[in-house]
Amino acid sequence: MKKHGVLHAELSQQIAALGHKDTFMIGDAGMPIPKGVPIIDLAVTKGVPTFRQVMDAVLEEAEVEGYTLAEEIRTENPELQTYIEQKLTGKEENFLPHDELKRRSAQVKFAIRTGEFTPYPNVILRAGVVF
C-alpha cells in the first residue's frame, strides 16, 4: 500500500500517465465536464474536498509548466487566483472567458471534480517535464 502522496488509485494512475504537454483539469462541483472526458469525482459534499486541498495534492505529484484560468476569476474570486498564481509561480499563465474554458475542457486528458462551491475555481493544467 502507498504510504504518502495521492492515494486515490485512479487519480494516481492518471497523473502517472501524463506526458509532456498533456492537459488536465481541476474543477468545482458544478463544472460541466464534456462527454468522453474521464472524470475523477472526488466531491463528497459542499466544500469537501476543497479545490486547494486537491490542487496541493496534485502539485506534489505532477510537474506543471502552464495553466489556464477563466478571466472571471479576476473579479469573482481574486483570493483563489492569488493562491493559484503563488502555487504556480513562474509557470505560463493564460486567461480565457469562462465559456471558452468550458469548451477547452473537452480536450483535457482527464478532469478532477472537487467539492468546491466558490466562483470560478477551475483550472486547466499543462504537464511539464522533470529535468
Side-chain angles (χ1 to χ4, degrees):
M1 178 175 165
K2 244 180 125 174
K3 289 172 46 173
H4 55 81
V6 173
L7 301 177
H8 189 282
E10 183 182 3
L11 179 54
S12 181
Q13 181 181 25
Q14 288 281 12
I15 292 170
L18 286 169
H20 187 215
K21 305 282 185 192
D22 283 342
T23 59
F24 62 104
M25 175 176 247
I26 301 173
D28 63 15
M31 182 68 177
I33 307 300
K35 289 184 182 192
V37 174
I39 300 171
I40 300 168
D41 194 342
L42 303 179
V44 176
T45 189
K46 181 178 180 179
V48 179
T50 67
F51 176 91
R52 291 175 191 220
Q53 289 171 324
V54 174
M55 180 95 159
D56 288 347
V58 167
L59 292 178
E60 286 292 319
E61 302 270 327
E63 182 67 28
V64 172
E65 69 180 19
Y67 62 100
T68 303
L69 297 167
E71 291 173 348
E72 292 85 346
I73 198 172
R74 291 174 166 149
T75 57
E76 301 300 320
N77 203 343
E79 183 181 315
L80 188 63
Q81 177 189 353
T82 298
Y83 158 80
I84 293 167
E85 289 172 345
Q86 288 174 347
K87 294 300 284 188
L88 296 170
T89 299
K91 309 301 183 184
E92 183 183 323
E93 176 183 71
N94 296 294
F95 290 89
L96 300 169
H98 184 62
D99 287 340
E100 179 60 26
L101 185 81
K102 288 193 288 189
R103 283 190 283 281
R104 292 257 181 110
S105 70
Q107 300 165 359
V108 300
K109 190 168 182 181
F110 63 93
I112 307 165
R113 187 184 322 260
T114 69
E116 191 69 41
F117 270 56
T118 63
Y120 303 100
N122 306 297
V123 62
I124 295 176
L125 300 164
R126 189 176 68 243
V129 173
V130 179
F131 292 106

